[in-house]
Amino acid sequence: MRHHWWLHIKEMYSIVELKGVKFGYRCGYCGNAGGKASYGMWSHTMTVQDYQDLIDRGWRRSGKYVYKPLMNKTCCPQYTIRCHALSFHPSKTHKKTLKKVNRFLSKGEMPVEKHDEGREGEPMDSVHEEGVQPPPQDPLKIDHSDVQDISPSPDTDTANSAAPTTPRDDAEKTTAVTPKPGKGADPNRPLCRKAKDLRKERRLQKEQQKQQEAVSSSVNPSPAKSSSNQPKSLEEFITESLPNDPLHRLEFKRFLCDSPLEAETAPDGPDVGYGSFHQQYWLDGRIVAVGVLDILPFCVSSVYLYYHPDFSSLSLGTYSALREIAFTRQLQQQSPKLSYYYLGFYVHSCPKMRYKGQYRPSDLLCPETYTWVPIERCIPRLDISAYSRLNENARAGDAHALKKLGRVLVLHRRTVMPYAAYARKRKGSNDEKEVEQYASLVGQTCAERILLYRA
């Protein structure tokens, strides 16, 4: 009975638990030991529409931890940036990267340079590094053995492949460390498997087979060629100069992955559905990079990318972003409203993070009105001040500002209720300011849809 109740709630609502404000921790952009400030919450489950609305208010996720920089208090303000995928045209730098990868694939030429310039690493608010731990007990008392764990199937196991170890742009760069030899399990014998895991694996294989059938035709997009008086499209640059039998073969595999986002399908949505996906890059049968993508109602949001350091000179960070923009354009053909590619945060005060502004046309999110402003109009303001109200209309405000605190939805003792009813039940409760801060940051619309857990 408890399991059925949870599935019912899970299908209908997002559920979050407050972690609150974090002040005075180290900034990965400027190195300030105590300059960073953000607000965070733990997402037990989340619908793709709610997460779409949250990122359109400056939120971002790192695993199940969802956070929002306090823009006027943090040392390096982080502005959400989105690219108009349909209107995107690669810059000279982007074209250079595509040609470099294609030369390697067709002729085996490995560039000399060692780093993906401009993509040295974007630090995310890490749950564990910053001392934010998952709730000690799931407030919903879920039987996690009944929740399906989605991970790569045995035929795509990377245990014998080169593990991707270098993040693209959402965490500080790490160095691969070779473990010391020692005694352990016999590598010649298969690992013990629980029957529960085997059942999950079989379910997953069936799901992945459906996913592969849906995306098999979208891995290498090949739209009609541009007319002679039109510039080449992104897709044409991606496949340009590649012979039918290249020296190296780059393949792509896409799978659903574990995240707080609940996988969904919709009649007007893309064939692959909505949710979080691993996009794996396989070079001659060896995995060299893995990207994490959130496919949402109006965008593809780039979450993370790891790539093998042996291939850093191929600028896989930039290459994967261009591939993801092309993928967004392909999805838009199936779902017309899905037309944006979100690159995470743009940090103007950190020169090495300005590269994201090269993916144009693009917009930055105003931190006060939560409206989108073309980046060309934002840069002059950001040159003057790291924090700026980007919307030039002084009369404009937040269309989804908190107006009715009593209508905020909460989950208390497995019962969904408005905050007004909860406050009456909990006479003398002193959490009104805490709930008000949360609701003002997520906005009235989300506050009336997302369940805020109250003990």
Side-chain angles (χ1 to χ4, degrees):
M1 190 71 180
R2 180 177 64 189
H3 176 59
H4 294 303
W5 168 85
W6 158 242
L7 288 179
H8 175 69
I9 292 292
K10 191 177 182 182
E11 289 173 358
M12 293 182 62
Y13 298 103
S14 301
I15 303 171
V16 298
E17 187 171 354
L18 299 186
K19 291 298 177 182
V21 178
K22 292 195 296 177
F23 279 116
Y25 60 103
R26 184 182 178 278
C27 175
Y29 299 108
C30 67
N32 188 329
K36 203 168 184 182
S38 66
Y39 185 92
M41 56 191 183
W42 187 263
S43 174
H44 292 279
T45 182
M46 184 163 288
T47 67
V48 291
Q49 183 60 60
D50 285 341
Y51 187 58
Q52 175 74 70
D53 291 344
L54 285 177
I55 63 174
D56 285 340
R57 290 184 66 83
W59 292 79
R60 185 154 169 76
R61 76 176 184 88
S62 176
K64 293 189 176 185
Y65 183 64
V66 186
Y67 66 99
K68 174 179 169 59
L70 298 179
M71 299 287 281
N72 59 347
K73 296 179 181 178
T74 193
C75 55
C76 294
Q78 299 152 263
Y79 298 86
T80 300
I81 182 171
R82 71 177 187 183
C83 171
H84 295 250
L86 300 186
S87 305
F88 172 79
H89 190 72
S91 66
K92 289 183 179 180
T93 301
H94 299 149
K95 294 174 187 176
K96 180 181 177 182
T97 296
L98 293 173
K99 290 179 180 178
K100 179 168 56 177
V101 172
N102 286 349
R103 280 197 304 269
F104 169 75
L105 294 177
S106 60
K107 302 178 182 179
E109 296 179 8
M110 181 67 80
V112 177
E113 60 265 28
K114 297 297 182 183
H115 298 293
D116 191 356
E117 292 184 9
R119 300 181 79 84
E120 291 295 329
E122 176 186 349
M124 275 183 122
D125 269 24
S126 170
V127 177
H128 302 290
E129 288 180 5
E130 304 300 345
V132 178
Q133 297 297 326
Q137 181 179 2
D138 195 319
L140 304 168
K141 296 183 179 178
I142 307 165
D143 180 2
H144 289 283
S145 64
D146 290 324
V147 180
Q148 184 174 350
D149 179 24
I150 301 177
S151 55
S153 60
D155 62 337
T156 59
D157 195 314
T158 62
N160 296 321
S161 302
T165 57
T166 307
R168 175 175 69 200
D169 65 345
D170 282 329
E172 293 180 345
K173 199 161 189 175
T174 58
T175 303
V177 179
T178 304
K180 296 180 179 179
K183 294 182 179 180
D186 186 348
N188 297 318
R189 300 187 63 182
L191 296 174
C192 295
R193 306 291 300 279
K194 292 183 179 180
K196 176 182 67 178
D197 294 333
L198 292 173
R199 289 194 299 271
K200 289 180 182 178
E201 186 176 284
R202 285 194 290 270
R203 289 197 301 267
L204 176 60
Q205 287 175 332
K206 292 179 181 179
E207 180 65 28
Q208 288 176 341
Q209 185 176 359
K210 294 179 182 178
Q211 294 288 336
Q212 286 298 100
E213 291 172 356
V215 303
S216 60
S217 62
S218 66
V219 168
N220 289 301
S222 54
K225 290 187 177 181
S226 306
S227 59
S228 58
N229 61 345
Q230 293 291 327
K232 290 182 180 179
S233 68
L234 171 62
E235 291 81 0
E236 288 175 305
F237 278 112
I238 288 175
T239 57
E240 187 179 40
S241 303
L242 278 179
N244 293 329
D245 55 344
L247 183 63
H248 297 291
R249 189 167 297 277
L250 186 63
E251 299 175 302
F252 304 86
K253 298 179 183 180
R254 194 174 303 119
F255 302 101
L256 276 167
C257 64
D258 187 31
S259 90
L261 301 185
E262 292 298 319
E264 298 179 21
T265 57
D268 61 345
D271 294 341
V272 296
Y274 301 119
S276 298
F277 294 79
H278 278 162
Q279 179 148 300
Q280 301 175 349
Y281 294 71
W282 289 77
L283 181 66
D284 300 331
R286 176 189 184 190
I287 192 166
V288 295
V290 179
V292 181
L293 300 175
D294 289 336
I295 300 180
L296 304 174
F298 299 108
C299 74
V300 169
S301 176
S302 178
V303 181
Y304 218 77
L305 179 116
Y306 283 102
Y307 57 84
H308 198 289
D310 287 354
F311 300 92
S312 61
S313 62
L314 291 176
S315 303
L316 290 180
T318 301
Y319 181 76
S320 64
L322 296 172
R323 274 282 184 175
E324 289 166 5
I325 292 174
F327 178 51
T328 304
R329 291 154 67 112
Q330 187 117 26
L331 293 181
Q332 194 275 339
Q333 296 176 14
Q334 304 166 6
S335 181
K337 63 183 180 179
L338 201 164
S339 59
Y340 295 102
Y341 175 65
Y342 284 47
L343 295 97
F345 289 133
Y346 173 83
V347 187
H348 193 75
S349 59
C350 180
K352 71 178 182 179
M353 295 307 301
R354 294 184 184 180
Y355 71 88
K356 293 188 179 184
Q358 297 174 6
Y359 294 83
R360 297 192 181 188
S362 58
D363 307 316
L364 299 185
L365 187 68
C366 174
E368 296 181 15
T369 63
Y370 301 110
T371 54
W372 296 99
V373 183
I375 194 169
E376 295 86 353
R377 286 165 37 195
C378 300
I379 289 177
R381 290 172 173 261
L382 297 176
D383 283 339
I384 297 172
S385 173
Y387 174 79
S388 175
R389 173 194 165 99
L390 301 178
N391 192 317
E392 299 168 353
N393 183 355
R395 296 184 178 181
D398 177 6
H400 300 283
L402 176 65
K403 296 176 181 176
K404 298 180 179 180
L405 181 64
R407 296 180 63 173
V408 174
L409 279 189
V410 301
L411 178 64
H412 176 58
R413 294 185 178 179
R414 297 173 62 180
T415 303
V416 177
M417 64 184 75
Y419 180 72
Y422 166 79
R424 288 194 296 269
K425 277 177 170 275
R426 297 288 300 267
K427 293 181 180 179
S429 176
N430 59 354
D431 65 353
E432 183 173 328
K433 288 185 178 180
E434 180 183 55
V435 174
E436 184 176 5
Q437 183 183 34
Y438 149 80
S440 65
L441 292 174
V442 302
Q444 185 76 45
T445 302
C446 282
E448 290 184 24
R449 285 202 314 251
I450 298 175
L451 298 185
L452 174 63
Y453 171 70
R454 299 280 86 188

